Amino acid sequence: MYPENYRYTKEHEWVLADGDAGTIGITDHAQQELGDIVYVDLPKVGTHVESGKTFGSVESVKAVSDIYSPVSGEIVEINESLADAPEKLNTDPHGDAWLVKIKLTRPEEIQNLMSASDYQSYIGAEK
Amino acid sequence: MSDQGMNESRMVHGDKITKVTTHLSQNEALLFERSSPGKKAYQLPELDVPAVDAAEALGAENVRAEITDFPEVSEVEAIRHFTRLSTWNYAIDYGMYPLGSCTMKYNPRINEVVARTEGLAWAHPYQPESLSQGCLEVMEHLENALAEICGMDAVTLQPAAGAHGELTGILLIRALLEKRGNPRKKILIPDSAHGTNPATAAIAGYAVENIKSSETGGVDLAALEQLVTSDVAALMVTNPNTLGVFENNIVRVAEILHKKGAMLYMDGANMNALVGIARPGDFGVDVMHLNLHKTFSTPHGGGGPGAGPVAVKKVLEPFLPTPRLRRSGKKLTFDYKRKHSIGRVKSYYGNFGVLVRALAYILAHGGPGLKNATMDAVLNAVYIRKALEPYFDLPYKSPNMHEVVFSDDRQSKLGVRTGDIAKRLIDYGFHPYTVSFPMIVHGALMIEPTETEGRLEIDSFINAMIAIAGECETDPQMVKNAPYNTRTSRVDEVTAARKPVLRWKP
Amino acid sequence: MRYLPKSESERSAMLEACGVSSPEELFAHLPEAARLNRPLNLAPGISEYEIVEYFRDRAASTALGYTSFLGAGVYNHFRPVLVDTVVSRGEFLTSYTPYQAEIAQGTLTQIFEFQTMICQLTGMDVANASMYDGSTAVPEAAMMAVRATGKGRVLISKSVHPEYREVLATYAKYQGMPVAEFGYVAESGELDLEDLERQMDGLTGAVIIQTPNFFGIVEQVKAAAEIAHRHGALLVVVFTEAVSLGLVAPPVEADIVAGELQSFAISPSYGGPYAGIIAVKEKYIRQMPGRLVGQTTDSRGNRAFCLTLSTREQHIRREKATSNICTNQALVALMATVFMTVYGKQGLRELAEQNLAKAHYLAGKVKPRFSGKFFNEFVVKLEGKTPEEINKALLKKKIIGGLPLGRFYPELADSVLLCATEMTRRTEMDALAEVMA
């Protein structure tokens, strides 16, 4: 369920990094908690984001959840397809429904994040 | 669909549903779909002055083309249209409307009649004060009555609604603190508060700091002591709080705030529990708003209009919005020259028509009657609590006042959530209670009966709730798909939000 | 008491079920210091008849029986009888905000129709379910423009309703939202576009104008939009006289329209309750304040309506909401909806034409001060007498004259604002002109 090569945050984001190229999304657990996702608010390409700071939000009918960046860097691409099909976040949060691509300024930040198994025990404990 | 429809309809006619029976209701298209060119529902008097060429008077470029797709229906079609639509609503006039925190009490019809008294309803806000004395007397009478009810020194009637009153109140605090040299930075708000409280604080330029509720659901004194610093402008508290529980430490809460130069703001949403019994001004509140559409019976009208007067202690009076009503001898007048005022929060003087209705309500009850109303409101809520406690989890056990908050803890273990129980309640002929609020109660069922429900209606509500608690055990799936009895079944709010269609198009 | 539906024996039985012997015992847990230990100092309750009498007595000392030429944001239009018939139905009057869509389709459908008609009238793409009134819609529109542009400064025309500007000032003061005003042309009463251009800067997020403006003059919306847009600001167009939209070109160049619907069958009622609107271009939907109704389907596939895009609102987003507004003015908006339905496409135009004709007849008798094109209001400069003197003379003839403008515009202390609507009779205008001449 949770890919081994991703790293995870306590706020339920994931990041897949290769050198300074990263992809960020929200976890399957996050989409389940939110329920039917109706809208995604993403930053503009070129925005600089800091790890642990919000850069956007995901909305269901009656809830808004901020997205916290797992790493610092510059947004180089956003997933435009989510504007018309936010429901993809409910069906494929770890794949097709990635949120943004980012150029990492401090790739070492990855080390501070959770592994797939740590994350799974974290969400197990949270319940 | 038809097979399933049959099954569904059999389900709703269980022997426990006694308050309602399904009946035919008229279908009705949208106005735009009913229109056809040339139909009319109006007739203007013949013009007694020469007609004017619009292009000449306004300039051809300033004259509009016809309003595309605007309705064209006859008078008969117009009245049928709105009458048919009306029958698709539930209303207090149909039965109990136990929305917690909303105080859905009976709306006396005399209020509607007097609000239409010609000299009042057709009074222009700029007509001379000498020809407005009757309007001003109504306002003065209401200001005085509300000040007495709240135990406060002065009242402004200008704010248009509760949230608007909140904003006014917080701006008053800000103005006072600013005059004292420092407006401060933060407003403290309990986690059980209405969402308008933090939204208001933000609009007034304050940061919001949440206070966790204590184990009994009230303000945690120890936490408060710690949080009240010289940065804190005020605490916004609802009393009784959103659990329907009176803040027993309220006097102490006020002392803690005042010692540090901070103010106590009270959200008056729940005043229906206090009128004639306890007065915020007496227990340390500096400023508060009232919701005339809750406590004072003015109709909610499907979401407005309301009115949100603000009552203050003397120290805040200089800051009240302009203009202020003043009496000089026999004459009432508006005072516009108030150098410390926060300014206007609304054009003119307030939602006067709503003020008339609220005063009519106060006159009808009178002092003793208002207290009796409060006692019946609390009696009804306590009675419901006693009757439903064996069936629903009650997370906070403190004595409740005008409302009671259960949780869906037992039912959610069977897969049924508070929202599902609410929808099933519709099949039993009741409007649901408030769902999922306050947020400190997971899966909240917030029930406020008000004083205008009789024993029969309350018993019938209790029986419906008990029956549904049973259904949650025997047939949870059935409850989850409710309602069945309504002309509209569960509405797809997800698609509405994903692909917003906010206006009709041909 | 007639609003309390319990008999004494029912009440006792319920008290007993609660385990108490008197209603006072239900309050025993309240701390002594918080309790009121005396009766409220309010008179005992009175009968329906006495209540009617009380308000009839108050109404006797008002302007009943006077002819009025006041407008200035509140207009004297006929209220079709269907309006009160519809809003008096308990299903509309005594229902709550339509959160429970299954049993609130009446209100929801009507609001959807309202939103549609407001779009048709204003030329905007989306309208909300209504605001408190026009005056509070203005700061809401300004805050919205500031959010959308990320620029904090607001420029507002002096010819916007003075009380609306005062309300904006109150909201702005504590938001760190600087507000500056630009002028009108002394000769025409129109926007001073040069002054606007001069005062524009890269920090301005909203330009606010009104049409017809406070002096009744139809403004050059397109020119104002061009200036605002060139500097990266949004144009907010305000209206106070909704009937003008039956005839005057809609402000399609605006980004946000904020207005007051009092003219649509809402009685003047000494200043409220009224209903405001905010309507916007599609791309600003998510920045909008207030309630929105959207179309969807129910689980049987039938068309249905519900409140939507609620995540903008205070009950979900709390301190991050687009506004603290909670209610709309549903019942008042319903009056407007019925009004628009009764008059319809042709009627609204005819009504507007009658207003235009009446005001221009009056302007033929008392000369307008400004040269700008006007709808149903205009400013008159008085010669020889003060506005107060003229109005005093008019009152003797049971006529309430125009609004003296000195209170809001010191430079116009010699002028009044006159309004004529379809309700104003030719004979009344002749009588007014005779005194004013």
Side-chain angles (χ1 to χ4, degrees):
Chain A
M1 161 95 329
Y2 292 93
E4 292 293 336
N5 53 341
Y6 289 14
R7 287 293 173 273
Y8 300 86
T9 69
K10 285 184 176 171
E11 289 80 26
H12 312 289
E13 292 85 14
W14 57 259
V15 57
L16 170 64
D18 180 9
D20 67 357
T23 305
I24 296 172
I26 62 166
T27 66
D28 184 65
H29 175 78
Q31 72 77 16
Q32 276 183 36
E33 288 290 300
L34 269 164
D36 293 316
I37 289 166
V38 299
Y39 184 69
V40 186
D41 187 25
L42 295 175
K44 289 199 176 82
V45 167
T47 308
H48 190 85
V49 300
E50 285 288 318
S51 68
K53 297 273 162 60
T54 68
F55 68 68
S57 60
V58 183
E59 298 182 9
S60 63
V61 172
K62 285 183 178 135
V64 186
S65 185
D66 285 328
I67 309 163
Y68 294 85
S69 188
V71 289
S72 307
E74 187 191 320
I75 305 291
V76 293
E77 191 183 343
I78 64 166
N79 190 345
E80 307 273 1
S81 73
L82 296 177
D84 284 331
E87 57 274 19
K88 285 205 295 196
L89 271 166
N90 290 114
T91 51
D92 194 8
H94 297 156
D96 205 21
W98 56 273
L99 299 174
V100 296
K101 298 207 191 261
I102 185 170
K103 184 166 186 287
L104 280 65
T105 45
R106 294 195 288 276
E108 67 278 11
E109 284 173 345
I110 294 290
Q111 311 307 323
N112 306 331
L113 302 172
M114 285 182 276
S115 68
S117 61
D118 287 349
Y119 180 69
Q120 270 166 295
S121 34
Y122 169 69
I123 57 178
E126 206 185 33
K127 274 174 187 165
Chain B
M1 192 217 112
S2 60
D3 274 1
Q4 200 193 350
M6 287 291 288
N7 285 334
E8 284 173 359
S9 86
R10 240 176 270 129
M11 240 183 288
V12 295
H13 294 296
D15 52 2
K16 297 242 166 71
I17 297 177
T18 53
K19 184 169 176 263
V20 283
T21 310
T22 51
H23 74 115
L24 298 177
S25 69
Q26 303 284 323
N27 293 329
E28 176 67 8
L30 295 177
L31 282 167
F32 318 102
E33 297 159 344
R34 274 189 149 280
S35 290
S36 62
K39 284 197 187 187
K40 285 185 187 180
Y42 74 98
Q43 182 180 355
L44 282 159
E46 202 164 323
L47 201 52
D48 62 358
V49 297
V52 167
D53 181 67
E56 206 172 289
L58 296 169
E61 71 285 4
N62 289 326
V63 179
R64 81 176 301 156
E66 72 164 32
I67 310 167
T68 315
D69 299 321
F70 213 60
E72 289 178 274
V73 298
S74 66
E75 178 165 333
V76 179
E77 288 163 317
I79 196 146
R80 284 201 182 139
H81 177 76
F82 291 107
T83 303
R84 287 172 179 175
L85 257 51
S86 77
T87 63
W88 304 349
N89 276 358
Y90 186 84
I92 297 174
D93 284 357
Y94 283 179
M96 186 169 163
Y97 214 122
L99 275 174
S101 203
C102 300
T103 314
M104 298 297 286
K105 63 171 73 176
Y106 166 62
N107 307 135
R109 287 314 197 277
I110 185 70
N111 299 359
E112 300 307 307
V113 170
V114 296
R116 286 170 171 79
T117 309
E118 198 182 343
L120 304 176
W122 284 92
H124 190 289
Y126 290 147
Q127 69 193 30
E129 279 177 3
S130 59
L131 292 179
S132 305
Q133 291 298 304
C135 300
L136 301 182
E137 282 169 26
V138 167
M139 295 176 72
E140 183 193 42
H141 195 157
L142 183 63
E143 278 189 6
N144 291 340
L146 296 179
E148 165 66 9
I149 287 166
C150 298
M152 305 294 270
D153 300 317
V155 173
T156 174
L157 302 172
Q158 199 176 98
H164 203 215
E166 282 178 35
L167 177 62
T168 306
I170 296 299
L171 291 182
L172 293 172
I173 291 173
R174 188 166 185 126
L176 171 71
L177 295 177
E178 230 161 44
K179 187 157 168 275
R180 286 179 179 168
N182 178 5
R184 305 189 172 198
K185 297 196 177 77
K186 280 192 288 196
I187 302 272
L188 302 179
I189 298 179
D191 51 10
S192 59
H194 295 114
T196 50
N197 292 175
T200 296
I203 287 192
Y206 281 111
V208 172
E209 185 152 341
N210 281 303
I211 307 191
K212 276 207 167 12
S213 299
S214 71
E215 274 169 27
T216 52
V219 175
D220 189 323
L221 283 183
L224 183 71
E225 293 255 26
Q226 233 171 21
L227 289 171
V228 182
T229 63
S230 56
D231 266 352
V232 171
L235 167 74
M236 286 181 96
V237 72
T238 308
N239 191 24
N241 62 25
T242 55
L243 296 166
V245 174
F246 192 86
E247 292 284 354
N248 272 326
N249 295 319
I250 192 72
V251 176
R252 184 78 193 105
V253 166
E255 282 169 7
I256 293 171
L257 289 158
H258 291 154
K259 211 165 60 193
K260 292 282 173 69
M263 312 290 279
L264 178 56
Y265 184 95
M266 188 179 118
D267 181 328
N270 292 342
M271 266 308 278
N272 213 41
L274 299 185
V275 176
I277 298 286
R279 305 194 309 169
D282 298 341
F283 55 72
V285 170
D286 300 296
V287 48
M288 63 180 292
H289 78 266
L290 292 160
N291 303 80
L292 299 188
H293 45 286
K294 294 179 183 176
T295 318
F296 298 95
S297 86
T298 74
H300 281 77
V310 170
V312 298
K313 290 280 175 63
K314 212 170 244 131
V315 62
L316 286 161
E317 199 276 341
F319 305 96
L320 288 174
T322 34
R324 288 284 298 145
L325 194 57
R326 283 267 173 276
R327 177 173 279 283
S328 50
K330 277 192 159 177
K331 220 178 129 237
L332 284 160
T333 180
F334 280 119
D335 178 7
Y336 290 87
K337 295 192 191 77
R338 295 171 46 83
K339 63 176 179 181
H340 296 301
S341 166
I342 57 166
R344 267 186 186 286
V345 295
K346 185 191 169 304
S347 57
Y348 321 117
Y349 326 110
N351 279 347
F352 179 77
V354 179
L355 308 179
V356 168
R357 289 169 172 89
L359 181 59
Y361 175 81
I362 291 171
L363 291 176
H365 266 301
L370 287 171
K371 183 180 176 183
N372 290 337
T374 304
M375 292 193 296
D376 270 3
V378 174
L379 172 60
N380 280 351
V382 173
Y383 182 81
I384 288 173
R385 170 184 169 153
K386 295 274 179 213
L388 292 184
E389 224 178 322
Y391 304 91
F392 294 90
D393 179 61
L394 187 75
Y396 291 91
K397 306 280 192 282
S398 313
N400 67 288
M401 297 190 77
H402 68 302
E403 64 192 3
V404 56
V405 180
F406 294 99
S407 90
D408 65 8
D409 194 53
R410 285 179 224 174
Q411 291 73 27
S412 66
K413 292 194 174 84
L414 308 163
V416 184
R417 309 298 303 270
T418 174
D420 303 316
I421 299 167
K423 295 294 186 198
R424 182 62 177 153
L425 198 51
I426 293 172
D427 282 333
Y428 280 80
F430 290 94
H431 193 280
Y433 45 78
T434 293
V435 177
S436 302
F437 185 84
M439 293 184 324
I440 58 168
V441 172
H442 196 261
L445 294 71
M446 187 194 211
I447 302 167
E448 179 181 6
T450 84
E451 73 278 11
T452 61
E453 294 310 329
R455 189 184 180 181
L456 268 179
E457 188 80 3
I458 299 247
D459 281 341
S460 161
F461 171 77
I462 288 167
N463 290 337
M465 289 294 289
I466 293 172
I468 297 168
E471 288 170 351
C472 290
E473 291 182 12
T474 54
D475 194 355
Q477 201 51 43
M478 186 274 290
V479 178
K480 282 166 73 78
N481 291 328
Y484 303 95
N485 239 354
T486 47
R487 56 173 289 123
T488 298
S489 59
R490 252 193 224 203
V491 166
D492 181 359
E493 295 181 335
V494 172
T495 304
R498 277 182 184 158
K499 308 261 183 277
V501 178
L502 304 173
R503 62 174 290 189
W504 176 86
K505 277 188 182 156
Chain C
M1 201 283 170
R2 58 189 185 278
Y3 304 158
L4 302 178
K6 284 188 200 38
S7 70
E8 264 320 309
S9 67
E10 283 175 326
R11 194 173 282 117
S12 321
M14 288 176 75
L15 285 166
E16 199 182 321
C18 294
V20 294
S21 54
S22 76
E24 281 80 8
E25 252 181 81
L26 295 167
F27 301 89
H29 61 282
L30 263 61
E32 187 56 33
R35 258 190 270 176
L36 177 67
N37 289 317
R38 62 161 176 86
L40 284 173
N41 186 17
L42 298 172
I46 57 176
S47 68
E48 254 185 18
Y49 172 69
E50 291 162 297
I51 294 171
V52 170
E53 209 173 34
Y54 171 90
F55 287 101
R56 207 191 286 142
D57 287 351
R58 297 294 148 320
S61 52
T62 61
L64 203 59
Y66 282 72
T67 297
S68 167
F69 287 88
L70 289 171
V74 180
Y75 303 92
N76 188 20
H77 293 295
F78 184 72
R79 300 182 68 234
V81 297
L82 246 51
V83 173
D84 271 351
T85 307
V86 171
V87 301
S88 298
R89 284 197 66 92
E91 295 92 334
F92 287 129
L93 186 75
T94 77
S95 54
Y96 190 67
T97 304
Y99 287 125
Q100 298 291 343
E102 294 84 356
I103 46 171
Q105 285 298 307
T107 295
L108 288 162
T109 306
Q110 171 260 314
I111 294 176
F112 185 77
E113 293 178 330
F114 171 86
Q115 291 175 180
T116 303
M117 284 193 261
I118 296 301
C119 290
Q120 292 167 339
L121 275 181
T122 58
M124 293 292 107
D125 300 320
V126 189
N128 72 7
S130 69
M131 308 296 290
Y132 301 140
D133 70 352
S135 74
T136 52
V138 169
E140 294 281 0
M143 291 189 282
M144 185 185 156
V146 164
R147 276 194 305 275
T149 57
K151 300 179 183 185
R153 183 169 176 262
V154 176
L155 254 178
I156 187 165
S157 158
K158 281 200 176 103
S159 56
V160 172
H161 193 308
E163 294 203 17
Y164 291 19
R165 283 183 283 134
E166 288 176 38
V167 175
L168 174 66
T170 305
Y171 275 72
K173 191 158 59 183
Y174 301 102
Q175 294 243 328
M177 186 166 85
V179 176
E181 297 188 338
F182 65 101
Y184 59 90
V185 178
E187 195 266 324
S188 68
E190 293 172 333
L191 290 176
D192 185 343
L193 293 168
E194 283 171 24
D195 192 25
L196 171 61
E197 180 75 58
R198 214 169 16 246
Q199 293 204 46
M200 280 304 293
D201 60 20
L203 304 173
T204 303
V207 172
I208 307 178
I209 66 168
Q210 178 180 322
T211 188
N213 70 19
F214 190 66
F215 310 130
I217 290 167
V218 177
E219 294 284 19
Q220 300 303 312
V221 177
K222 203 169 167 183
E226 192 277 319
I227 296 172
H229 292 158
R230 181 152 40 77
H231 292 273
L234 302 193
L235 181 70
V236 178
V237 173
V238 178
F239 65 86
T240 59
E241 174 44 298
V243 166
S244 68
L245 288 164
L247 193 58
V248 177
V252 290
E253 299 88 357
D255 302 287
I256 304 172
V257 175
E260 168 61 62
L261 296 181
Q262 181 274 327
S263 286
F264 286 180
I266 301 164
S267 38
S269 196
Y270 207 54
Y274 302 156
I277 59 111
I278 284 192
V280 304
K281 292 272 168 65
E282 181 108 39
K283 61 179 163 181
Y284 303 117
I285 292 182
R286 285 179 185 273
Q287 300 296 337
M288 278 187 105
R291 300 251 145 92
L292 285 168
V293 168
Q295 182 182 316
T296 183
T297 52
D298 71 4
S299 61
R300 298 175 194 132
N302 298 318
R303 176 166 68 187
F305 301 93
C306 64
L307 290 171
T308 192
L309 305 184
S310 311
T311 48
R312 300 164 298 112
E313 294 181 65
Q314 47 75 27
H315 61 279
I316 292 171
R317 211 177 282 245
R318 298 175 81 86
E319 67 265 28
K320 290 179 186 160
T322 54
S323 165
N324 74 334
I325 194 168
C326 188
T327 33
N328 60 338
Q329 297 284 97
L331 199 73
V332 190
L334 175 59
M335 293 181 190
T337 305
V338 179
F339 176 94
M340 290 187 276
T341 306
V342 166
Y343 278 105
K345 186 191 276 185
Q346 284 185 49
L348 197 58
R349 189 175 191 98
E350 264 182 56
L351 178 65
E353 282 168 350
Q354 285 212 355
N355 276 258
L356 187 76
K358 300 268 187 171
H360 282 75
Y361 174 80
L362 184 59
K365 305 228 147 202
V366 283
K367 191 171 161 290
R369 173 185 185 125
F370 296 124
S371 63
K373 314 263 191 210
F374 62 93
F375 177 61
N376 66 355
E377 288 181 276
F378 58 94
V379 175
V380 175
K381 183 178 170 178
L382 303 171
E383 313 281 354
K385 280 191 182 138
T386 66
E388 290 68 29
E389 285 164 352
I390 291 279
N391 279 351
K392 211 169 156 191
L394 284 166
L395 283 181
K396 288 194 183 128
K397 299 194 177 267
K398 286 212 143 192
I399 295 173
I400 299 173
L403 177 73
L405 287 173
R407 169 178 165 194
F408 297 124
Y409 300 91
E411 72 276 20
L412 299 177
D414 57 359
S415 298
V416 295
L417 179 64
L418 287 174
C419 175
T421 70
E422 82 282 5
M423 306 272 278
T424 317
R425 292 198 189 97
R426 181 178 189 148
T427 49
E428 296 165 344
M429 293 191 276
D430 292 345
L432 174 90
E434 206 170 289
V435 177
M436 286 184 74

